[in-house]
Amino acid sequence: PSPKSFQPNGASEEALRCEIKELKQKDLALEQEIAHLLSEGYSLEELDKHISLLHEYNEIKDAGQMLLGKLAVIRGVTTKQLYPEYDLELSD
């Protein structure tokens, strides 16, 4: 819930408690995953580099999707129809 939607009542407090519990569980799961990767020989620097590269990849992919969307609008087709033209898989 956003801060604007916060209402100081029992239901909102319970929702916040549930959200905190879920976030703590996610944090624990991520810590365990990091520990597992470290035990496999990865270094923190290497993991940071991979995360950075994934962010860069996602930004480039988002830009490509935006361009495909604009091209589809210009041509009056769906983005999906452009995929074969550029040898893209739908899972790309």
Side-chain angles (χ1 to χ4, degrees):
S2 69
K4 292 180 182 179
S5 67
F6 179 75
Q7 299 171 2
N9 62 36
S12 293
E13 289 178 21
E14 184 60 32
L16 286 174
R17 282 190 188 94
C18 287
E19 186 174 356
I20 290 169
K21 183 179 177 181
E22 289 173 12
L23 290 172
K24 285 181 178 180
Q25 289 172 340
K26 287 180 183 180
D27 182 54
L28 177 61
L30 288 172
E31 290 293 334
Q32 290 172 340
E33 187 175 349
I34 289 170
H36 175 73
L37 291 170
L38 291 173
S39 73
E40 289 184 349
Y42 291 97
S43 69
L44 287 177
E45 294 81 17
E46 189 176 8
L47 293 174
D48 286 341
K49 179 67 176 172
H50 283 278
I51 290 169
S52 175
L53 289 171
L54 282 171
H55 284 296
E56 185 178 347
Y57 166 80
N58 284 329
E59 289 173 8
I60 293 168
K61 183 178 176 183
D62 290 345
Q65 288 293 328
M66 184 179 67
L67 290 173
L68 275 176
K70 289 181 183 251
L71 183 59
V73 169
I74 291 169
R75 291 188 181 178
V77 297
T78 65
T79 303
K80 183 178 177 180
Q81 290 172 306
L82 294 177
Y83 274 56
E85 183 177 339
Y86 294 99
D87 297 321
L88 299 171
E89 299 291 327
L90 287 177
S91 60
D92 287 341

